[in-house]
Amino acid sequence: MDQVQESPVKRLCKAHNRIFVNGQFPGPTLEVTDGDTLEVKVINKAIYNVTMHWHGVRQFRTAWADGPEFVTQCPIRPGESYTYRFTVLGQIGTLWWHAHSSWVRATVYGALIIHPWGDYPFKKPDKEIPVILGEWWDRNPMDVVRNATRYGAAPDISDAYTINGQPGDLYKCSSRGTTIFAVKAGETNLFRFINGALNTELFIEIAGHKMTVVGADASYDRPFDTSVLMLGPGQTTDVLVTFDQAPGRYYLAARAYVSTQGVPFDNTTTTAIIDYGTQTTKPGKKSPAFPKLPAFNDTDTATKFAESFRSLETVKLPQPVDENLFFTVDLGLFNCQPGQKCGGPNGTRFKASMNNVSFVLPSNFSILQAHYHGVPGVFTTDFPAVPPVQFDYTAQNVSRGLWQPVPGTKVYKLKYGSVVQVVLQGTNIFAGESHPIHLHGNDFYILAQGFGNFNPKKDTSKFNLVDPPLRNTVTVPVSGWAVIRFVADNPGVWLMHCHLDVHINWGLAMAFLVPDGIGELETLEPPPNDLPVC
Ligand code: C2O
């Protein structure tokens, strides 16, 4: 049972009230075993609407438990409750949960760990440690986003990043709370990294220690060694670390990866301490070793990391492809309308879109409820399979005429069981930027990533058809593209969106509608009795 409620908390020298789950920040870690069915009752005692999302859980036939407000359910209003029921099956590793209603997720999130029945396909770790990165605002994040939305402006940048809720030694008034991982020399631990930040991709590094990546987004991967990780919001990575250096204290540090030039960003660094030397932890002894960390704009390192992922085993890739989709991922601007307040560049409002459609959430129904009960007028099924206008997507100066997305609640309707391939093409319409694109309800294979415009003639040959990684969030590189493939065998309405929350607010989202198949196992379960109404 999870109570969502305001609690007092001190961060960066100030006292605040923030919304937490059961008074904890981060919220409770859910530890389950593959095949378990979960029932989580969420009681909303906050003053905002709340929904909960089980990020990465496939929600097979239980789309009602997926969570995004106005997509699969109406929000849980203050004073109300809703019980999420779902089964985790065939996904092993690290997922997480977070609120999926406006920016409540800034402080409402936690780890969801799924253990296998048997052994890991890698050396059994001596200990497992969830490490959730977050983003902290001194102002109430709900006010930050409300203000930005009113003016169509970019929201204030955050004041800190956090590791397991704590900013760490490099921030004012924060040393005492710094997260410390007490470990043992010679042991190997499994760090379960989750990027829970709202708007920032993060580089993560541990001083003096090699990391061995063994999985991501609750799928095993072929192990590879790296000195640095890059996680976009939404992504998780499981990493083995052996404490084989001189006993002592070592910083684990994270800071932004910023793919665009000239935009303001939070350039601070969050730290935790890995401690395996009691001698050196006494006050007055030398401070922990610090990792190098890549430059903020080190796209090469981010790319090299993303390209290192392979599935642990050879994949039986779904084929042939039934739906070949091409979606652009755009940041754009709206001209100011009379009577509007506009806080974007040169008196405009920020808007974002996919295939030039800027996603608008319904306000009186969820899309899934409307689909299930056949309520007309809530959404349309005309989301385009390809961009309405083709242009040089990654040209230096994309013509202003292409900068005006069309607002709409459009879904793309798939046939049950179809094999879907999507080229996600970044554009340079306001600015090229790297986008962590997350698909609900389905894992997908990442076949390839690259820069510039996707060229079917030469880029198809770069597809990894042998052992592509299976994930739920893919980084579409700055001014580049990524290709994903999945099977639409899960009935429901599945949001696909950029996990930088500021971009969702601007409309960088769409949804797939997967109707029922034929048999009972191909059919969405009926809605739970306590499903909130709007
Ligand atoms: Cu992690 Cu739509 O969410």
Side-chain angles (χ1 to χ4, degrees):
M1 197 155 71
D2 284 339
Q3 311 230 18
V4 183
Q5 183 166 26
E6 245 185 31
S7 312
V9 62
K10 238 180 127 185
R11 286 292 181 279
L12 308 179
C13 315
K14 288 195 203 85
H16 306 270
N17 279 306
R18 286 292 183 273
I19 310 171
F20 297 143
V21 168
N22 298 347
Q24 291 169 248
F25 180 54
T29 297
L30 300 179
E31 281 201 65
V32 304
T33 304
D34 185 25
D36 282 358
T37 296
L38 281 81
E39 268 192 25
V40 189
K41 180 167 186 176
V42 174
I43 305 169
N44 183 3
K45 295 194 169 170
I47 57 168
Y48 306 104
N49 290 342
V50 169
T51 67
M52 219 58 93
H53 170 51
W54 318 93
H55 179 112
V57 173
R58 275 201 70 210
Q59 298 295 358
F60 185 62
R61 303 179 58 218
T62 52
W64 306 109
D66 192 42
E69 66 172 349
F70 298 114
V71 178
T72 59
Q73 69 166 99
C74 299
I76 309 168
R77 309 283 177 188
E80 319 238 286
S81 68
Y82 176 47
T83 301
Y84 292 85
R85 280 187 203 82
F86 56 92
T87 301
V88 286
L89 194 59
Q91 298 178 295
I92 295 160
T94 309
L95 295 176
W96 58 305
W97 55 268
H98 62 76
H100 212 301
S101 186
S102 185
W103 278 22
V104 177
R105 93 163 172 92
T107 50
V108 175
Y109 59 80
L112 169 54
I113 310 291
I114 308 165
H115 297 288
W117 269 101
D119 293 334
Y120 291 119
F122 45 83
K123 179 183 170 186
K124 187 177 158 36
D126 297 294
K127 199 164 149 193
E128 302 186 4
I129 304 177
V131 185
I132 313 191
L133 296 126
E135 203 161 358
W136 179 267
W137 277 261
D138 270 335
R139 285 180 65 202
N140 179 348
M142 295 297 280
D143 294 337
V144 173
V145 67
R146 190 178 299 144
N147 209 48
T149 309
R150 181 173 312 150
Y151 299 105
D156 299 349
I157 58 170
S158 53
D159 297 290
Y161 302 109
T162 54
I163 297 175
N164 291 353
Q166 291 290 346
D169 286 353
L170 304 185
Y171 298 90
K172 57 187 177 183
C173 310
S174 302
S175 276
R176 255 208 281 153
T178 298
T179 298
I180 296 177
F181 300 112
V183 302
K184 294 208 179 87
E187 287 196 347
T188 298
N189 289 6
L190 179 64
F191 285 94
R192 299 174 172 281
F193 288 100
I194 300 166
N195 185 350
L198 257 87
N199 295 324
T200 312
E201 298 176 298
L202 293 166
F203 284 122
I204 303 165
E205 196 168 338
I206 301 174
H209 290 73
K210 181 185 80 179
M211 296 188 265
T212 305
V213 174
V214 293
D217 295 2
S219 290
Y220 295 129
D221 289 304
R222 188 194 305 163
F224 66 91
D225 292 345
T226 179
S227 61
V228 57
L229 315 175
M230 200 295 280
L231 272 68
Q235 293 182 315
T236 74
T237 304
D238 288 355
V239 167
L240 291 173
V241 181
T242 300
F243 308 114
D244 53 5
Q245 300 299 302
R249 295 187 306 159
Y250 297 86
Y251 272 122
L252 185 171
R255 71 175 185 188
Y257 161 52
V258 182
S259 57
T260 314
Q261 303 293 310
V263 294
F265 67 97
D266 176 352
N267 63 3
T268 61
T269 303
T270 181
T271 57
I273 295 171
I274 294 173
D275 187 342
Y276 56 105
T278 45
Q279 295 306 310
T280 50
T281 55
K282 299 253 167 59
K285 290 283 159 66
K286 76 176 195 308
S287 57
F290 205 85
K292 249 187 353 274
L293 284 168
F296 294 114
N297 63 356
D298 190 345
T299 294
D300 288 349
T301 295
T303 306
K304 188 169 161 265
F305 178 69
E307 289 177 346
S308 302
F309 284 86
R310 299 277 180 279
S311 275
L312 181 62
E313 279 157 13
T314 307
V315 163
K316 244 190 102 217
L317 201 66
Q319 56 192 350
V321 173
D322 302 301
E323 294 267 10
N324 245 308
L325 307 175
F326 189 107
F327 295 174
T328 59
V329 174
D330 331 293
L331 290 186
L333 300 168
F334 262 9
N335 290 334
C336 207
Q337 302 302 315
Q340 253 185 352
K341 299 193 166 151
C342 296
N346 310 320
T348 55
R349 295 174 69 87
F350 278 108
K351 272 289 162 205
S353 59
M354 297 179 89
N355 275 357
N356 210 43
V357 181
S358 186
F359 190 71
V360 179
L361 288 171
S363 54
N364 53 348
F365 256 109
S366 74
I367 300 176
L368 186 61
Q369 283 164 299
H371 160 64
Y372 191 84
H373 298 291
V375 181
V378 176
F379 65 90
T380 55
T381 53
D382 54 348
F383 187 88
V386 294
V389 180
Q390 290 178 23
F391 56 96
D392 181 357
Y393 307 110
T394 52
Q396 258 335 300
N397 289 301
V398 177
S399 134
R400 279 297 289 241
L402 295 162
W403 284 30
Q404 291 269 321
V406 182
T409 308
K410 296 179 191 295
V411 306
Y412 191 88
K413 192 170 174 182
L414 294 166
K415 279 209 190 63
Y416 180 90
S418 52
V419 175
V420 185
Q421 181 168 298
V422 192
V423 176
L424 296 161
Q425 174 69 61
T427 66
N428 287 356
I429 292 182
F430 172 65
E433 194 169 333
S434 119
H435 297 277
I437 301 289
H438 171 51
L439 174 61
H440 285 229
N442 302 269
D443 283 335
F444 50 71
Y445 293 104
I446 302 177
L447 302 188
Q449 283 152 292
F451 292 97
N453 300 339
F454 176 77
N455 177 341
K457 284 214 188 67
K458 68 182 210 321
D459 291 329
T460 317
S461 64
K462 295 182 191 144
F463 286 5
N464 176 358
L465 306 172
V466 178
D467 53 5
L470 188 62
R471 302 205 61 163
N472 63 52
T473 307
V474 59
T475 305
V476 177
V478 50
S479 305
W481 50 268
V483 181
I484 61 171
R485 192 184 289 186
F486 65 98
V487 186
D489 59 358
N490 189 9
V493 172
W494 306 114
L495 192 62
M496 183 161 80
H497 63 85
C498 179
H499 218 294
L500 306 175
D501 276 37
V502 47
H503 293 173
I504 315 180
N505 299 130
W506 296 340
L508 214 173
M510 57 79 65
F512 288 107
L513 193 164
V514 182
D516 285 347
I518 296 161
E520 196 202 331
L521 285 176
E522 302 181 349
T523 308
L524 176 66
E525 290 178 0
N529 291 330
D530 59 342
L531 185 71
V533 287
C534 284

